[in-house]
């Protein structure tokens, strides 16, 4: 299901950043994140929107554009918070 790949995607991005504290925090709340995704991704276009955001983040990382990757992830998280 998308919620498990969503959580895995965010973990992979965290691991790329080589921030042991952030990665450990992510792993500590992975169960809650998966549950939260199951609920939040049911709302309207949330799943397709999340997928588009992930594509933007992935593309920026693949192109080695960290500022663009940061902006793409920031836009994704801000939309989820809204």
């Amino acid at each position: 299901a998308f919620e498990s790949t969503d959580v895995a995607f965010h973990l992979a991005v965290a691991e790329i950043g080589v921030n042991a504290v952030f990665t450990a925090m992510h792993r500590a709340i992975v169960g809650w994140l998966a549950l939260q995704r199951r609920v939040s991704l049911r709302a309207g276009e949330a799943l397709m929107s999340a997928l588009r955001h992930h594509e933007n983040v992935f593309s920026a990382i693949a192109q080695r554009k960290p500022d663009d990757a940061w902006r793409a992830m920031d836009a994704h998280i801000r939309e989820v918070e809204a």
Side-chain angles (χ1 to χ4, degrees):
F2 183 78
E3 59 268 2
S4 61
T5 59
D6 179 70
V7 172
F9 175 79
H10 284 268
L11 178 58
V13 171
E15 289 173 338
I16 288 170
V18 193
N19 182 329
V21 173
F22 185 75
T23 302
M25 287 174 40
H26 189 283
R27 288 181 190 279
I29 62 170
V30 74
W32 176 83
L33 287 172
L35 177 61
Q36 187 272 337
R37 296 305 193 277
R38 266 184 237 120
V39 173
S40 67
L41 291 172
R42 291 183 190 158
E45 294 291 318
L47 185 120
M48 291 307 297
S49 178
L51 183 57
R52 282 190 299 274
H53 281 289
H54 287 189
E55 289 171 342
N56 293 340
V57 172
F58 177 81
S59 177
I61 291 170
Q63 294 175 39
R64 299 183 185 274
K65 296 182 176 180
D67 292 339
D68 290 352
W70 185 91
R71 281 190 288 278
M73 184 59 82
D74 184 61
H76 176 38
I77 291 172
R78 287 181 187 277
E79 182 174 290
V80 170
E81 288 177 341

